[in-house]
Amino acid sequence: MSCRYMAAVSSSLLRSSITLSPFNPLKPPNSIRLIQSSFQLPARQCPRRAMSRVGATHDEEAAARAAATEADSGAPTIFDKIISKEIPSSIVYEDDKVLAFRDINPQAPVHVLVIPKLRDGLTELGKLHFVSRMIPILMAEPRHEDILGHLLHASKIVAEKEGIVDGFRVVINSGASACQSVYHLHLHVLGGRQLKWPPG
Amino acid sequence: MSCRYMAAVSSSLLRSSITLSPFNPLKPPNSIRLIQSSFQLPARQCPRRAMSRVGATHDEEAAARAAATEADSGAPTIFDKIISKEIPSSIVYEDDKVLAFRDINPQAPVHVLVIPKLRDGLTELGKLHFVSRMIPILMAEPRHEDILGHLLHASKIVAEKEGIVDGFRVVINSGASACQSVYHLHLHVLGGRQLKWPPG
């Protein structure tokens, strides 16, 4: 989930009383989709794609920066409810350490997010955070290498399961300028079409 | 290195007699740049960006597919000569397991490639290869998790060293449809500008 400001609304989502759809357990209820759509911009409104939409671009960047301020709070994100199954998702792969589920706003025929079940400080791959003015915390420390390696290996398993192992891209956004908007580390696995270059 | 068919020319490069530039040890000699430029398409000629350039797009995809046929050969790539320092590169970070150097065709103000020094079967993150008609080999096996985790952690170190730790994107292309063109696993670390969505 990127460029979508889910982090900015995750706390309000978590406070919301959410009724799950009884008709399709994999489909988010209307209340969730309504909140999400209110905070989403179409992908084509991304920077440099449409110069006439500079206002939207600036809004998007500002919203991503706003989401970034949540990163330091350590607050739960929407992913916590997906992990606990309180919010349903279309799960592709799961083991004791990771969960992989389809992105609700796919950017390719196959678009899956792979996340660690235990965030363990990994709000993002790397950034200098301050718990106070004098105490910096750097994400992705050496102790995280085990889970990082497992996440990449799980991405390959996802590609196999989705039938795209012959061609897929893994993307990790870290920070606002990379369009990260949920501060729980996640890997995007995309495939099923010819991917372009540069990658955003 | 992507969409650039370096793999297709790597064997010819390896056979070439290359004279390193005495003026700038970090700058590839003209002979290398000449070969590279012959096989590069401008980034803006990527699929769906310019419909009038369908011919070039098809050439690009065909060339990437051609490079993919080299993947199964186990032949050395241009990265082997970069690792051995036979071909100079602008190194950002190095330890006993990984090497990180600047991409010669950067797609952002900061664009660094992070590679394992020992390929160890990791031509790409994942693909079904056949050593014979009956023996499939899947890349990125569980035994690779250590080096995969170290590569991601090294990407964060690179971001710190390059001053982009507040915002950067890590991209791994696997296979022709993701524009992979050197069959030695490599992570792209990009930053220094607002990155767009979708990621290619």
Side-chain angles (χ1 to χ4, degrees):
Chain A
M1 296 189 180
S2 292
C3 292
R4 269 180 280 146
Y5 328 133
M6 291 304 295
V9 296
S10 61
S11 56
S12 62
L13 258 177
L14 293 172
R15 284 193 298 270
S16 304
S17 173
I18 296 167
T19 307
L20 301 184
S21 167
F23 305 109
N24 182 353
L26 297 182
K27 191 175 178 183
N30 287 337
S31 56
I32 297 178
R33 280 183 280 136
L34 184 64
I35 293 171
Q36 289 170 339
S37 63
S38 302
F39 289 82
Q40 287 170 15
L41 289 174
R44 67 175 63 88
Q45 290 190 9
C46 279
R48 303 189 193 187
R49 283 262 167 96
M51 294 306 290
S52 62
R53 289 166 173 159
V54 169
T57 293
H58 286 176
D59 287 348
E60 181 175 335
E61 293 172 16
R65 280 194 296 272
T69 63
E70 295 282 314
D72 295 328
S73 71
T77 74
I78 192 171
F79 289 171
D80 290 284
K81 289 211 167 189
I82 289 175
I83 292 166
S84 69
K85 315 285 170 71
E86 194 169 344
I87 293 178
S89 64
S90 177
I91 295 173
V92 175
Y93 173 76
E94 181 174 12
D95 64 26
D96 58 334
K97 294 176 184 169
V98 306
L99 181 70
F101 53 96
R102 293 190 177 85
D103 196 301
I104 57 162
N105 188 17
Q107 302 298 316
V110 173
H111 187 171
V112 175
L113 302 179
V114 186
I115 66 174
K117 286 186 172 178
L118 181 65
R119 187 166 61 172
D120 187 25
L122 284 173
T123 54
E124 54 196 295
L125 187 58
K127 188 183 173 184
L128 193 64
H129 289 296
F130 288 86
V131 290
S132 75
R133 288 187 180 179
M134 299 301 292
I135 306 172
I137 298 176
L138 279 171
M139 302 296 108
E141 297 175 353
R143 70 186 174 88
H144 290 123
E145 288 192 6
D146 285 353
I147 186 64
L148 292 174
H150 191 60
L151 285 163
L152 272 182
H153 183 230
S155 299
K156 189 215 68 169
I157 294 171
V158 164
E160 287 168 22
K161 288 182 175 290
E162 294 290 285
I164 57 166
V165 77
D166 274 348
F168 63 99
R169 180 172 289 170
V170 176
V171 176
I172 304 172
N173 298 322
S174 187
S177 64
C179 286
Q180 182 177 7
S181 55
V182 176
Y183 282 86
H184 182 132
L185 178 70
H186 51 290
L187 285 65
H188 298 262
V189 180
L190 302 111
R193 66 168 169 85
Q194 178 65 48
L195 296 162
K196 296 171 283 183
W197 199 252
Chain B
M1 295 190 181
S2 292
C3 293
R4 269 182 279 147
Y5 329 131
M6 291 303 298
V9 296
S10 62
S11 57
S12 63
L13 258 177
L14 293 173
R15 285 193 298 270
S16 304
S17 172
I18 296 169
T19 306
L20 301 184
S21 166
F23 304 109
N24 181 354
L26 298 181
K27 191 175 178 183
N30 286 338
S31 57
I32 298 178
R33 280 182 280 135
L34 184 63
I35 293 170
Q36 288 170 340
S37 63
S38 302
F39 287 83
Q40 288 171 14
L41 289 173
R44 66 175 64 89
Q45 289 190 11
C46 278
R48 301 188 196 186
R49 283 262 166 95
M51 294 308 289
S52 62
R53 289 167 173 158
V54 170
T57 294
H58 287 175
D59 288 347
E60 181 176 337
E61 293 173 16
R65 280 194 295 274
T69 62
E70 296 281 317
D72 294 330
S73 71
T77 74
I78 191 172
F79 289 172
D80 291 283
K81 289 212 166 188
I82 289 174
I83 292 166
S84 69
K85 314 286 169 73
E86 195 169 344
I87 292 177
S89 64
S90 177
I91 295 173
V92 175
Y93 173 75
E94 181 174 12
D95 63 26
D96 57 334
K97 294 177 183 169
V98 307
L99 181 69
F101 52 96
R102 292 189 177 86
D103 195 302
I104 57 162
N105 189 16
Q107 302 297 317
V110 173
H111 187 170
V112 174
L113 303 178
V114 186
I115 66 173
K117 286 186 171 177
L118 182 64
R119 188 167 61 172
D120 187 26
L122 283 173
T123 54
E124 55 197 294
L125 187 58
K127 189 182 174 183
L128 193 63
H129 289 296
F130 288 86
V131 290
S132 75
R133 287 185 181 179
M134 299 303 291
I135 307 173
I137 297 177
L138 278 171
M139 301 297 106
E141 297 176 353
R143 70 184 173 89
H144 290 123
E145 288 192 6
D146 285 352
I147 186 64
L148 292 174
H150 191 59
L151 285 163
L152 272 183
H153 183 230
S155 299
K156 189 215 68 169
I157 294 171
V158 164
E160 287 168 21
K161 287 182 175 291
E162 294 290 285
I164 56 167
V165 77
D166 275 347
F168 63 99
R169 179 172 289 171
V170 175
V171 176
I172 304 173
N173 299 322
S174 187
S177 65
C179 286
Q180 182 177 7
S181 55
V182 177
Y183 281 87
H184 181 131
L185 177 70
H186 51 289
L187 285 65
H188 297 261
V189 180
L190 302 109
R193 66 168 168 85
Q194 177 64 49
L195 295 162
K196 295 171 283 184
W197 199 251

